[in-house]
Amino acid sequence: MTLTPDNLFGIHTRALDLWQRRTEVLANNLANADTPGYLARDVDFRKVLAAAGGGPGNLPLQAGTPGQIGTAGQAADGLAYRVPTQPSMDGNTVDEQTEQAAFAANGVHYQASLSFITAQIRMLRTAITGGQG
């Protein structure tokens, strides 16, 4: 059996990438909180992770003929527009409190995945060295 990050750390390697991507999206939302007409976005974590898992029924759509616009790339980024809780006069859908709360929670999730990977590495190091190192 060949060891890869996926079979060593499970879903956590993919999760780290998604948590990082979500950090960027949420930071972008916060940076544009005062931009008229800006539409807040977020990563649909469950949808992207399910698609990355390649489970049954997760076949990506592909362009059938040359020149046709493919939709696989759009679904793969997992970005969706956030439904605003309070409409704004200038069309901006960023709710700073919601974004800040999501940003903080996202940091906790990122740290949890990173801690799991770190623990796995420690366990592997102990197994390789027999606890002598």
Side-chain angles (χ1 to χ4, degrees), residues 7-133:
N7 63 21
L8 278 176
F9 307 120
I11 203 161
H12 292 281
T13 54
R14 290 185 182 141
L16 275 180
D17 290 338
L18 291 174
W19 295 130
Q20 174 61 35
R21 174 75 175 125
R22 188 168 190 231
T23 297
E24 294 167 3
V25 171
L26 294 173
N28 196 33
N29 288 347
L30 286 166
N32 286 288
D34 295 325
T35 304
Y38 182 81
L39 302 177
R41 301 198 70 183
D42 200 354
V43 174
D44 187 343
F45 187 80
R46 287 186 181 105
K47 183 184 286 184
V48 174
L49 206 54
N58 290 330
L59 295 175
L61 296 175
Q62 296 186 8
T65 59
Q68 185 178 6
I69 298 174
T71 58
Q74 295 168 354
D77 71 0
L79 289 180
Y81 291 101
R82 189 170 300 218
V83 177
T85 54
Q86 297 178 354
S88 108
M89 296 296 284
D90 65 0
N92 186 306
T93 62
V94 176
D95 178 358
E96 288 188 62
Q97 291 177 342
T98 300
E99 300 300 328
Q100 289 172 347
F103 193 87
N106 190 68
V108 170
H109 293 300
Y110 183 90
Q111 196 61 39
S113 287
L114 194 58
S115 294
F116 177 83
I117 289 172
T118 302
Q120 289 294 101
I121 291 170
R122 228 180 263 126
M123 182 181 69
L124 289 170
R125 184 179 295 146
T126 300
I128 290 169
T129 63
Q132 304 295 324

